[in-house]
């Protein structure tokens, strides 16, 4: 067994846990400790709070997932004042070994280690991941996370992508009007302006403006609750449109990666679990013209794990050292 610290650092919350990795690199997480990023001046200060609360000697190895692009000399977190300098971070945290990954890259690593019961089938044929070929991992959150798992002779290789920043392509008159509305507000309308947590509010306001509807303005979390509970008819209408767009984008990305399998991940999608099958998600996913029959067969699975970011960060540790 290998002992490490796993960390999942977002713009709002930072989560830490000790993790044990077995010979296959499958993690077992210890007690999870959660902190508000805004309560600390830096990652180092937050790490010190975790170390004090955890007690004892911490492992000298860590795998840390960040909600931002990795690979730069200086990492600036979205929605946070924390600044990370990877070249000196291991020394600052007292580590001998360290792995840094993008947060959705970590989710894809989690998918490679989840047991079958944590990957239930939502749509398509019930078949395993390919021995050779790509698997698309996608999930709306603060933005739209997209990663690819490239299997080579059964061995998974996770590839981080910025697929959430592709241009949004409208597929009907309503979406053309939504796109026109959003073009007045953003320099460029990427798919994550629509398929993301805040994207539901963009759809909601756009549809209200287009239809000259009087609506109750809500924060994102409140709107999602109203939509999922069906307590506000217009919020639910916006959610129905969201599902159409989510399916279309997932299908486009599957085609780009090679349509072998798709995994939907993240907390929002888990909350949508019972609402996706009767929605227009799958009809839009398969509506790819000459490839429609192929797209119908593509397995679409849901990744289930309460702490998939932490689990994935730990799972990523052995991939590179």
């Amino acid at each position: 067994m290998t002992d490490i610290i796993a960390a999942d650092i977002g713009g709002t919350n930072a989560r830490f846990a000790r993790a044990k990795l077995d010979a296959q690199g499958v993690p077992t997480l210890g007690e999870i400790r959660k902190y508000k990023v805004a309560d600390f001046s830096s990652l180092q200060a937050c790490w010190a709070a975790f170390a004090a609360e955890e007690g004892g000697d911490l492992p000298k190895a860590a795998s840390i997932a960040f909600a931002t692009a990795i690979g730069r000399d200086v990492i600036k977190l979205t929605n946070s004042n924390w600044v990370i300098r990877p070249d000196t971070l291991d020394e600052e945290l007292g580590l001998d070994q360290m792995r840094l990954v993008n947060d959705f890259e970590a989710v894809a690593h989690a998918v490679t280690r989840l047991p079958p019961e944590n990957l239930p089938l939502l749509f398509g044929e019930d078949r395993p991941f390919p021995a050779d070929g790509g698997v698309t991992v996608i999930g709306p959150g603060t933005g739209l996370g997209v990663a690819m798992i490239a299997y080579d002779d059964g061995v998974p290789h996770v590839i981080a992508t910025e697929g959430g920043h592709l241009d949004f392509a409208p597929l009907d008159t309503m979406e053309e009007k939504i796109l026109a509305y959003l073009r007045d507000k953003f320099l460029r309308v990427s798919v994550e302006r629509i398929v993301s947590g805040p994207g539901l509010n963009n759809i909601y306001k756009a549809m209200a403006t287009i239809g000259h509807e009087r609506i109750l303005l809500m924060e994102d979390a409140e709107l999602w609750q109203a939509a999922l509970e069906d307590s506000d008819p217009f919020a639910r209408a916006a959610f129905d449109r969201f599902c159409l767009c989510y399916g279309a984008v997932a299908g486009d990305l599957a085609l780009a990666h090679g349509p072998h399998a798709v995994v939907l991940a993240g907390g929002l999608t888990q909350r949508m679990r019972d609402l996706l099958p009767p929605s227009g998600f799958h009809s839009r996913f398969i509506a790819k013209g000459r490839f429609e029959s192929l797209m119908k067969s593509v397995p679409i699975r849901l990744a289930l794990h309460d702490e998939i970011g932490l689990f994935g960060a730990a799972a990523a540790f052995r991939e590179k050292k």
Side-chain angles (χ1 to χ4, degrees):
M1 302 290 282
T2 302
D3 292 333
I4 68 169
I5 298 298
D8 182 19
I9 312 298
T12 303
N13 296 305
R15 293 174 172 84
F16 299 85
R18 290 177 185 251
K20 291 184 179 294
L21 302 175
D22 68 13
Q24 286 71 47
V26 178
T28 300
L29 298 179
E31 183 176 353
I32 294 161
R33 303 189 188 278
K34 179 178 172 182
Y35 305 91
K36 290 289 185 185
V37 168
D39 291 343
F40 298 90
S41 60
S42 64
L43 173 59
Q44 293 86 335
C46 192
W47 187 281
F50 162 71
E53 191 172 1
E54 188 72 13
D57 294 330
L58 294 181
K60 293 293 186 179
S63 189
I64 309 172
F66 292 102
T68 190
I70 304 296
R72 295 168 292 178
D73 292 338
V74 177
I75 299 173
K76 175 69 173 65
L77 296 187
T78 306
N79 302 321
S80 166
N81 293 323
W82 289 10
V83 175
I84 313 298
R85 292 177 173 80
D87 288 346
T88 59
L89 186 60
D90 53 352
E91 183 178 351
E92 292 165 352
L93 299 180
L95 298 171
D96 295 330
Q97 288 182 300
M98 181 181 68
R99 175 88 196 274
L100 305 183
V101 293
N102 166 265
D103 61 339
F104 213 79
E105 182 183 357
V107 170
H109 280 287
V111 169
T112 70
R113 299 292 189 267
L114 287 174
E117 57 269 24
N118 287 71
L119 292 166
L121 185 73
L122 291 179
F123 308 100
E125 294 181 359
D126 192 358
R127 62 178 188 247
F129 291 152
D132 295 283
V135 174
T136 300
V137 185
I138 179 172
T142 303
L144 179 63
V146 179
M148 176 183 175
I149 307 170
Y151 281 89
D152 179 17
D153 199 20
V155 178
H157 303 275
V158 171
I159 301 170
T161 84
E162 293 297 337
H165 297 285
L166 295 174
D167 288 311
F168 174 70
L171 294 177
D172 60 22
T173 302
M174 174 56 74
E175 288 171 15
E176 288 172 354
K177 292 179 179 178
I178 291 172
L179 177 59
Y181 170 87
L182 292 177
R183 276 180 174 154
D184 285 339
K185 300 185 176 299
F186 303 108
L187 179 64
R188 174 174 175 267
V189 182
S190 63
V191 291
E192 78 168 12
R193 294 295 188 186
I194 291 173
V195 184
S196 65
L200 180 64
N201 227 326
N202 288 335
I203 296 171
Y204 179 71
K205 292 172 182 175
M207 289 176 62
T209 300
I210 293 163
H212 304 288
E213 300 277 354
R214 296 184 65 183
I215 58 170
L216 176 65
L217 295 179
M218 291 182 259
E219 297 295 324
D220 291 344
E222 185 182 8
L223 179 62
W224 271 100
Q225 184 173 352
L228 295 175
E229 294 178 351
D230 201 9
S231 60
D232 181 298
F234 205 78
R236 190 53 169 261
F239 173 77
D240 291 340
R241 177 59 60 174
F242 178 95
C243 291
L244 290 171
C245 296
Y246 190 4
V249 170
D252 286 344
L253 287 163
L255 282 172
H257 294 162
H260 296 284
V262 172
V263 178
L264 309 180
L268 273 181
T269 303
Q270 288 190 58
R271 291 173 66 191
M272 296 163 61
R273 180 179 185 176
D274 295 333
L275 299 177
L276 277 176
S279 76
F281 177 96
H282 198 230
S283 64
R284 277 289 188 86
F285 179 88
I286 67 176
K288 303 301 177 187
R290 291 167 291 172
F291 286 87
E292 185 167 321
S293 60
L294 173 62
M295 298 301 284
K296 283 181 180 178
S297 70
V298 174
I300 303 176
R301 299 185 180 276
L302 176 64
L304 298 177
H305 196 288
D306 290 340
E307 293 290 348
I308 196 166
L310 271 179
F311 183 85
F317 180 73
R318 286 194 174 180
E319 297 299 316
K320 289 182 182 177
K321 293 185 180 180

